[in-house]
């Protein structure tokens, strides 16, 4: 009997999800997301509930992080004001429904681009604002130096994530056994690890140092050297509105191209006034009609750079050396500096 009821509930949820997808598609076709956002005067951005360096509110409700700045760049380009945003905190499981249903215009929540998510959820991944990879945090008294020694371990992991899936793949591939202990939030996951319910915590590697610093005795745990997956994290939009897809895509590309051209929030006014470099002039809107092609004003990229900064400024401010995450650029360096950050040309 109970089985039947659950089956019905699942079916009803499925129908509802499909109906809201169709509805979102209709809305997009009728009005466009750009128009909706402009009429509203505010961008609805889905972010993490609280993840150091990526998206976190302070005690006054002011949000910071690389994912938050990615939203700010869109608001600057579309509304002329990086502050006109409503942030919706979402956990891993609820994030895609919030986007599908139209509750948010863009999801910017350390979300990994995978085939299944891209091709079967009615969503589009627009690019990568942080190249991450999965790793392990272990108690030092476990006496382990490599992930290959983790057979039989109990591992704390968050539900609804690629982390959970990669963990299963890794142990299967290496013929090892493990016991997953699954939680809904990263706070609960750290709690599980801190209270010795598991020997190992696994998550995107960018987070491990920050999670370790939350322990009562951070020196009791260490990060293993292995990177067991590719986690390209970036903003996501609904399928069915190509103009909005392009806008979100090119906001990030503008920040990356600005870094490559040596344009930042401090020198952008001077460069805009003086530069005769055709590429710089196209990006800053002093020549050509790049903004118009996106449905935006000519100074769309200037506003992003002036108000939010180029990619390097966004990286350094939120996750770079001297911040609690203290990450170096690594893969996230420009292609011209040995990394893989590469934005298509503005022309
Ligand atoms: N990038 C992965 C993992 C994303 C994820 O939710 N990671 C956890 C662990 S770092 C997190 O952000 N937790 C914060 C929270 O929900 O409180 C994915 O897209 O599935």
């Amino acid at each position: 009997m109970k089985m039947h009821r659950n089956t019905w509930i699942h079916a009803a949820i499925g129908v509802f999800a499909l109906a809201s997808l169709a509805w979102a598609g209709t809305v997009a076709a009728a009005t466009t997301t750009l128009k909706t956002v402009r009429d509203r005067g505010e961008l609805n951005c889905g972010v993490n509930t609280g993840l150091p360096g990526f998206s976190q509110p302070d005690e006054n409700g002011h949000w910071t992080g690389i994912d938050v700045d990615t939203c700010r760049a869109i608001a600057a380009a579309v509304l002329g004001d990086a502050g006109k945003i409503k942030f919706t905190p979402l956990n891993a499981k609820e994030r895609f429904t919030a986007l599908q249903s139209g509750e948010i215009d863009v999801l910017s929540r350390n979300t990994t681009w995978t085939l299944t998510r891209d091709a079967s959820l009615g969503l589009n991944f627009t690019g990568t604002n942080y190249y991450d990879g999965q790793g392990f945090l272990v108690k030092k008294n476990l006496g382990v130096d490599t992930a290959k020694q983790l057979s039989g371990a109990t591992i704390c992991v968050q539900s609804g994530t690629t982390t959970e899936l990669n963990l299963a793949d890794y142990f299967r591939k290496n013929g090892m056994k493990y016991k997953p202990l699954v939680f809904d939030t990263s706070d609960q996951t750290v709690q599980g690890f801190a209270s010795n319910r598991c020997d190992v915590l696994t998550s995107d590697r960018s987070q491990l140092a920050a999670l370790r610093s939350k322990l009562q005795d951070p020196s009791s745990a260490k990060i293993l050297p292995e990177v067991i997956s590719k986690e390209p994290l970036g903003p996501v939009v609904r399928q069915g509105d190509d103009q909005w897809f392009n806008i979100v895509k090119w906001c990030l590309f503008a920040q990356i191209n600005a870094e490559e051209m040596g344009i930042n929030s401090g020198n952008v006014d001077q460069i805009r006034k003086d530069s005769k470099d055709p590429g710089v002039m196209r990006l800053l809107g002093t020549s050509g009609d790049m903004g118009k092609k996106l449905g935006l004003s000519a100074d769309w990229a200037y506003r992003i750079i002036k108000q939010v900064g180029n990619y390097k400024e966004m990286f350094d401010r939120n996750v770079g050396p001297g911040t609690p995450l203290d990450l170096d650029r690594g893969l996230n360096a420009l292609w011209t500096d040995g990394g893989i950050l590469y934005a298509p040309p503005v022309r």
Side-chain angles (χ1 to χ4, degrees):
M1 190 62 191
K2 196 150 182 285
M3 274 293 288
H4 275 109
R5 221 173 67 203
N6 281 343
T7 312
W8 269 106
I9 290 168
H10 276 124
I13 291 172
V15 168
F16 176 75
L18 275 178
S20 38
L21 259 182
W23 176 81
T26 317
V27 169
T31 66
T32 81
T33 308
L34 177 61
K35 185 169 181 330
T36 307
V37 171
R38 283 195 168 145
D39 289 351
R40 193 196 297 130
E42 201 173 50
L43 176 74
N44 288 342
C45 189
V47 291
N48 205 302
T49 53
L51 195 69
F54 283 72
S55 53
Q56 227 182 2
D58 66 12
E59 56 281 3
N60 303 316
H62 180 76
W63 287 84
T64 53
I66 204 165
D67 285 346
V68 164
D69 279 351
T70 297
C71 297
R72 293 205 193 283
I74 302 164
V78 168
L79 299 168
D81 184 343
K84 291 193 171 155
I85 308 188
K86 182 180 149 213
F87 291 104
T88 300
L90 299 164
N91 73 24
K93 280 195 288 192
E94 58 202 13
R95 59 184 150 174
F96 300 119
T97 323
L99 185 57
Q100 288 162 339
S101 69
E103 185 188 347
I104 54 175
D105 307 306
V106 57
L107 174 70
S108 184
R109 186 211 173 277
N110 59 313
T111 295
T112 306
W113 185 347
T114 69
L115 188 151
T116 301
R117 289 172 176 178
D118 205 1
S120 68
L121 298 180
L123 306 177
N124 276 331
F125 283 76
T126 63
T128 301
N129 68 350
Y130 188 89
Y131 288 95
D132 215 331
Q134 187 174 335
F136 297 101
L137 181 70
V138 299
K139 300 266 164 56
K140 276 191 190 154
N141 64 15
L142 209 61
V144 156
D145 293 315
T146 149
K148 296 276 167 61
Q149 295 171 296
L150 289 178
S151 196
T154 302
I155 304 187
C156 284
V157 61
Q158 195 167 325
S159 60
T161 59
T162 48
T163 322
E164 203 182 355
L165 308 175
N166 299 326
L167 181 65
D169 282 4
Y170 183 77
F171 276 74
R172 185 173 188 160
K173 185 168 81 182
N174 289 293
M176 307 192 305
K177 285 196 164 47
Y178 73 106
K179 193 165 161 277
L181 204 55
V182 182
F183 298 93
D184 278 343
T185 68
S186 76
D187 279 350
Q188 291 166 356
T189 315
V190 180
Q191 262 314 311
F193 183 72
S195 61
N196 291 316
R197 291 184 62 196
C198 53
D199 318 300
V200 183
L201 180 157
T202 185
S203 88
D204 288 345
R205 243 167 157 265
S206 63
Q207 293 306 317
L208 291 179
L211 295 176
R212 179 173 173 265
S213 73
K214 285 187 183 170
L215 298 173
Q216 209 168 25
D217 176 13
S219 71
S220 66
K222 66 176 181 184
I223 298 166
L224 295 180
E226 280 85 1
V227 182
I228 68 160
S229 72
K230 291 185 287 188
E231 307 294 322
L233 313 177
V236 195
V237 295
R238 273 182 299 282
Q239 274 177 12
D241 186 342
D242 286 353
Q243 181 193 42
W244 187 246
F245 182 31
N246 284 339
I247 289 171
V248 174
K249 220 181 334 189
W250 282 92
C251 285
L252 178 60
F253 290 159
Q255 289 186 286
I256 297 171
N257 279 317
E259 180 182 356
E260 197 181 320
M261 293 172 175
I263 310 170
N264 58 47
S265 58
N267 65 19
V268 67
D269 282 310
Q270 194 66 41
I271 291 179
R272 184 157 78 143
K273 201 152 70 69
D274 297 340
S275 182
K276 298 279 174 286
D277 177 330
V280 169
M281 291 172 75
R282 274 194 301 273
L283 178 68
L284 299 182
T286 48
S287 79
D289 59 353
M290 298 296 135
K292 194 163 162 227
K293 287 172 176 151
L294 290 169
L296 301 176
S297 63
D299 63 353
W300 67 282
Y302 163 77
R303 293 165 167 187
I304 295 176
I305 302 162
K306 178 74 184 168
Q307 296 182 33
V308 186
N310 67 23
Y311 183 88
K312 176 177 164 52
E313 291 177 276
M314 174 166 87
F315 185 98
D316 288 351
R317 175 192 312 140
N318 295 305
V319 301
T323 68
L325 266 68
D326 203 25
L327 300 167
D328 60 31
R329 287 289 289 269
L331 281 181
N332 295 290
L334 292 178
W335 65 290
T336 44
D337 296 335
I340 58 173
L341 229 57
Y342 183 108
V346 176
R347 63 154 65 255

